[in-house]
Amino acid sequence: MGKIGYYLVTAAESALSAVGIRATYEQPRYAVVHRLPGGVEIRDYAPRAVVETEAEGPGDAQAFRRLFRYITGANRAERLVAMTVPVEQTGDLIAMTAPVEARAGAMRFVLPRRVVEDGAPVPTDPQVRIVPLPAQRLAVLRFSGRPTQAARRAREAELLRVLAQAGLTPEGAPAFLGYDPPLTLPFLRRNEVAVAVTG
C-alpha cells in the first residue's frame, strides 16, 4: 500500500472510531483472568513490542507526532506501519506550578504483531525507540467520557482502592490507555487506567 492509500485507510479508521467503531485497529492480545468489584479486570497480556518516546504530560502532542511520524515512514526502512490501539501513556505524577500536575514518562504505540515478526524498522528519530515488553498481568479499569486529568486521577484512585481491598499489590504507577481520537463522542470513548499487579 502506498502513502496515499495508507492515509485514506487511516482517515477512514479515524472517522469510524469517532463514532465508537474501532474494530479495524489491532489490539494487544490478552485474557481476562479475574473480575473484581467496580468493573476492574485482571488481564494477562501476551509479550508485545511498542514504539515509545518521552512525554511531558498527558496528551503531549509533540510526543504523539514523533510516534506518528515513525509509523508513517520516519524509520530506516521508510516502512508504513498500521496504527493500533491503545495509545499508552506511562509515568509518575510530578508537581508543577499549582494546581497543575503532569505525568512525566513515555507515550507508546503498540506495534502490530506482523511488524514485530518481520523485524520492526529502526526509528530515524533518536527520541523514538523500540521496546519489547514481556508478558504482563495488568489490573484495568475502563471508563468513558473525556479523559481529563481529574477523570483519570479519580479512576486511578478507584483502581488502587479496589486492588487494596482485594489484597493485590500494584507495581509502579498506573498508566492511561486511550483507544479513540479526540473527536470521538465522549459517551462512546473507551479509556482505561491500568497498573501491573502481583498475585
Side-chain angles (χ1 to χ4, degrees):
M1 178 188 310
K3 273 207 169 186
I4 293 174
Y6 176 90
Y7 283 117
L8 287 173
V9 168
T10 302
E13 289 174 334
S14 184
L16 288 171
S17 63
V19 292
I21 301 170
R22 56 188 78 81
T24 58
Y25 291 114
E26 183 178 316
Q27 299 181 34
R29 293 177 178 159
Y30 66 83
V32 177
V33 295
H34 194 59
R35 296 185 199 283
L36 298 176
V40 174
E41 292 183 342
I42 305 300
R43 301 176 183 170
D44 281 349
Y45 279 80
R48 59 203 187 281
V50 298
V51 57
E52 76 172 20
T53 188
E54 297 302 314
E56 295 184 3
D60 184 339
Q62 290 184 359
F64 186 90
R65 283 194 288 272
R66 283 194 295 272
L67 297 177
F68 191 74
R69 283 194 296 270
Y70 169 81
I71 67 170
T72 56
N75 55 70
R76 289 188 188 167
E78 298 183 355
R79 182 174 176 185
L80 299 171
V81 177
M83 184 71 188
T84 62
V85 292
V87 174
E88 182 178 342
Q89 295 178 60
T90 67
D92 296 317
L93 282 170
I94 56 169
M96 298 176 70
T97 54
V100 178
E101 288 182 321
R103 218 179 255 297
M107 183 178 288
R108 297 170 166 172
F109 288 1
V110 179
L111 290 170
R113 286 181 287 278
R114 173 164 254 167
V115 170
V116 176
E117 290 166 2
D118 293 346
V122 177
T124 54
D125 185 336
Q127 295 183 80
V128 175
R129 59 197 168 270
I130 306 296
V131 180
L133 299 179
Q136 285 182 301
R137 175 161 287 187
L138 298 180
V140 182
L141 177 61
R142 182 173 174 170
F143 64 102
S144 60
R146 296 237 175 259
T148 63
Q149 188 177 29
R152 287 168 56 173
R153 287 183 57 125
R155 294 307 189 278
E156 288 173 3
E158 185 179 346
L159 174 63
L160 296 175
R161 178 184 57 76
V162 170
L163 292 179
Q165 290 175 346
L168 293 171
T169 304
E171 297 180 343
F176 173 73
L177 309 178
Y179 288 78
D180 301 294
L183 295 178
T184 301
L185 297 169
F187 67 94
L188 294 175
R189 293 185 70 90
R190 178 180 177 183
N191 310 305
E192 295 175 340
V193 287
V195 68
V197 291
T198 54

